[in-house]
Structure formats: structure tokens, C-alpha cells
Amino acid sequence: LAARDVRDEGFTLSRTYAILEGTGEAGKVTPGALIQVSLRVVTPVDRHNVALIDPLPAGLEPVNTMFKTEASAYGEDETPDTGGYYGEASEDDEDLPTWSAWVFNHRELRDDRVVLYADTMPAGIHTYQYLARATTPGDYSQPAATVEEMYKPEHFGRTAAGRFIVGEIKPVAKAK
């Protein structure tokens, strides 16, 4: 999928990455890097039975901060503001209300994706953040994230797909 394949059919969905530990830039990080993934959903009307699916590139794994072994790595006062949900204002969407943590009422952290569910999603701007760790060096496909009303699949939104690199990928030498 190219950037032109981003779809807004009732939902606008965007995904951004911020590096919390390690080095790199958007789409290319060092092994072991800790990344904060932000998903932003905008819906102009109330929706019901919403599913948001964010497939991860194969070199990333979601971090479950509910485990003491994961959360304790930051210390009590240093835990990043992730794995949670907050409302957000935007100049582009000033007329839309913002909402708080209760919208996404079910979360699944799987090896290859993060899935969020909302029984009811009021019109407005909804942002969810979670942590992922770069585990395996390589050049991976970055699938598009999607959001849809499960019983009205014609109402959906999709981000762009792309590539995600973990570690230094050396260019292949051209044959003479």
C-alpha cells in the first residue's frame, strides 16, 4: 500500500512512532529500541462495536507494562505514559470533542499485533498509546493499521503500509 492507499471511509486513522530508548528515526531503529506507538482515531459520528487492529512489523513485539518485570525497568516515577488512552485536541478538528480512557474497553497484546475494542465510540478524537520493542534485526513489511465498525464494515479507516528496519541493513552490492 502506498500513501494514496490510506482510506477514510467514516474513520480517520493515523499511526506514529516515537523512540524512547535506543537510536534511529521513523521506520528505522537499532535492535533493542523501545518505541511508543500512538494510534489516533477520528470519527465524526457515534460508532458501535469498533475494532482497531495494529499489526506490528515482524521485528517488533508489544511490551505489556502490566507485568512487574516490564514496568519496573522504568522505576516507579519513570514509567512512560503509554498503554493508556487520552483525548487530544487538534487545530484540524477543533469542533470535535475529546474523550478519556473508557472508550477502548478491551485490549489484546498479541505477538504480531495489538487489538483494541470499543463497545461505543462517541464522535470525536481518540488516541491510544502502547510500547513496542525492536527485537530482531531485519527489513520488514509494516502492515497498515485498520479500524472498523465490526457489524458495519463499510465504515472503516486505514493507515499507509510501508517498510520498517531494525538495525543496519547493508546495501546489496551490484554485480558488474
Side-chain angles (χ1 to χ4, degrees):
L1 294 174
R4 69 181 188 281
D5 293 324
V6 171
R7 294 289 298 269
D8 177 349
E9 299 293 335
F11 289 98
T12 301
L13 178 62
S14 63
R15 172 179 54 198
T16 58
Y17 295 109
I19 300 169
L20 300 179
E21 293 177 5
T23 59
E25 56 193 43
K28 185 174 184 180
V29 299
T30 56
L34 184 65
I35 300 163
Q36 179 176 284
V37 181
S38 296
L39 301 167
R40 182 176 184 264
V41 179
V42 179
T43 177
V45 298
D46 293 353
R47 305 285 184 187
H48 301 282
N49 302 308
V50 175
L52 192 161
I53 301 170
D54 185 20
L56 292 165
L60 296 181
E61 289 183 5
V63 175
N64 190 344
T65 57
M66 299 300 286
F67 294 141
K68 287 190 179 273
T69 55
E70 296 292 345
S72 64
Y74 299 101
E76 204 168 302
D77 296 330
E78 298 177 21
T79 304
D81 182 19
T82 59
Y85 174 88
Y86 61 89
E88 170 183 289
S90 168
E91 291 177 13
D92 298 334
D93 303 301
E94 288 177 4
D95 56 333
L96 291 174
T98 59
W99 301 94
S100 61
W102 55 267
V103 175
F104 291 113
N105 56 331
H106 182 74
R107 173 183 83 157
E108 295 178 15
L109 295 178
R110 300 182 185 175
D111 289 341
D112 62 342
R113 65 189 172 272
V114 171
V115 183
L116 305 169
Y117 298 98
D119 292 337
T120 301
M121 179 178 281
I125 304 165
H126 310 277
T127 302
Y128 188 87
Q129 296 179 326
Y130 67 92
L131 296 177
R133 181 145 331 255
T135 57
T136 309
D139 184 349
Y140 303 103
S141 172
Q142 178 186 17
T146 60
V147 61
E148 74 174 16
E149 244 181 314
M150 293 185 292
Y151 302 110
K152 295 180 182 176
E154 65 274 13
H155 301 157
F156 71 95
R158 177 175 63 216
T159 66
R163 306 297 301 167
F164 197 92
I165 299 171
V166 177
E168 292 298 321
I169 305 300
K170 297 179 182 170
V172 178
K174 294 183 180 181
K176 292 184 180 183

PDB file of all heavy atoms in Angstrom, residues 3 23 48 112 125 153 164:
ATOM      1  N   ALA A   3       1.010   5.638   0.183  1.00  0.00           N
ATOM      2  CA  ALA A   3       0.316   6.679   0.949  1.00  0.00           C
ATOM      3  C   ALA A   3      -1.064   6.968   0.354  1.00  0.00           C
ATOM      4  O   ALA A   3      -1.992   7.285   1.068  1.00  0.00           O
ATOM      5  CB  ALA A   3       1.159   7.940   0.994  1.00  0.00           C
ATOM      6  N   THR A  23      18.340   4.275  19.349  1.00  0.00           N
ATOM      7  CA  THR A  23      18.519   5.314  18.347  1.00  0.00           C
ATOM      8  C   THR A  23      17.800   4.939  17.065  1.00  0.00           C
ATOM      9  O   THR A  23      17.422   3.787  16.871  1.00  0.00           O
ATOM     10  CB  THR A  23      20.018   5.546  18.037  1.00  0.00           C
ATOM     11  OG1 THR A  23      20.571   4.316  17.561  1.00  0.00           O
ATOM     12  CG2 THR A  23      20.772   6.014  19.259  1.00  0.00           C
ATOM     13  N   HIS A  48     -20.455   2.110  17.050  1.00  0.00           N
ATOM     14  CA  HIS A  48     -20.667   1.000  17.986  1.00  0.00           C
ATOM     15  C   HIS A  48     -19.885  -0.219  17.512  1.00  0.00           C
ATOM     16  O   HIS A  48     -19.730  -0.446  16.310  1.00  0.00           O
ATOM     17  CB  HIS A  48     -22.159   0.675  18.093  1.00  0.00           C
ATOM     18  CG  HIS A  48     -22.959   1.839  18.568  1.00  0.00           C
ATOM     19  ND1 HIS A  48     -23.002   2.224  19.886  1.00  0.00           N
ATOM     20  CD2 HIS A  48     -23.703   2.745  17.881  1.00  0.00           C
ATOM     21  CE1 HIS A  48     -23.758   3.308  19.999  1.00  0.00           C
ATOM     22  NE2 HIS A  48     -24.196   3.643  18.796  1.00  0.00           N
ATOM     23  N   ASP A 112       2.098 -10.479  17.288  1.00  0.00           N
ATOM     24  CA  ASP A 112       2.216  -9.816  15.990  1.00  0.00           C
ATOM     25  C   ASP A 112       1.312  -8.598  15.811  1.00  0.00           C
ATOM     26  O   ASP A 112       1.349  -7.953  14.769  1.00  0.00           O
ATOM     27  CB  ASP A 112       1.927 -10.817  14.876  1.00  0.00           C
ATOM     28  CG  ASP A 112       0.519 -11.375  14.947  1.00  0.00           C
ATOM     29  OD1 ASP A 112      -0.131 -11.276  16.007  1.00  0.00           O
ATOM     30  OD2 ASP A 112       0.045 -11.914  13.925  1.00  0.00           O
ATOM     31  N   ILE A 125     -12.200  12.649  18.866  1.00  0.00           N
ATOM     32  CA  ILE A 125     -10.811  12.265  18.650  1.00  0.00           C
ATOM     33  C   ILE A 125     -10.407  11.310  19.767  1.00  0.00           C
ATOM     34  O   ILE A 125     -10.596  11.612  20.943  1.00  0.00           O
ATOM     35  CB  ILE A 125      -9.908  13.517  18.679  1.00  0.00           C
ATOM     36  CG1 ILE A 125     -10.392  14.531  17.654  1.00  0.00           C
ATOM     37  CG2 ILE A 125      -8.455  13.134  18.436  1.00  0.00           C
ATOM     38  CD1 ILE A 125      -9.822  15.908  17.854  1.00  0.00           C
ATOM     39  N   PRO A 153     -18.972  -3.043   8.278  1.00  0.00           N
ATOM     40  CA  PRO A 153     -17.587  -2.948   7.807  1.00  0.00           C
ATOM     41  C   PRO A 153     -17.361  -1.930   6.702  1.00  0.00           C
ATOM     42  O   PRO A 153     -16.220  -1.634   6.364  1.00  0.00           O
ATOM     43  CB  PRO A 153     -17.269  -4.373   7.336  1.00  0.00           C
ATOM     44  CG  PRO A 153     -18.593  -5.002   7.077  1.00  0.00           C
ATOM     45  CD  PRO A 153     -19.565  -4.347   8.024  1.00  0.00           C
ATOM     46  N   PHE A 164       9.803  -1.295   7.654  1.00  0.00           N
ATOM     47  CA  PHE A 164      10.351  -0.974   8.970  1.00  0.00           C
ATOM     48  C   PHE A 164      11.656  -1.735   9.115  1.00  0.00           C
ATOM     49  O   PHE A 164      11.691  -2.952   8.909  1.00  0.00           O
ATOM     50  CB  PHE A 164       9.374  -1.377  10.083  1.00  0.00           C
ATOM     51  CG  PHE A 164       9.694  -0.728  11.393  1.00  0.00           C
ATOM     52  CD1 PHE A 164       9.113   0.470  11.740  1.00  0.00           C
ATOM     53  CD2 PHE A 164      10.595  -1.313  12.273  1.00  0.00           C
ATOM     54  CE1 PHE A 164       9.420   1.083  12.939  1.00  0.00           C
ATOM     55  CE2 PHE A 164      10.903  -0.718  13.472  1.00  0.00           C
ATOM     56  CZ  PHE A 164      10.314   0.493  13.819  1.00  0.00           C
TER      57      PHE A 164
END
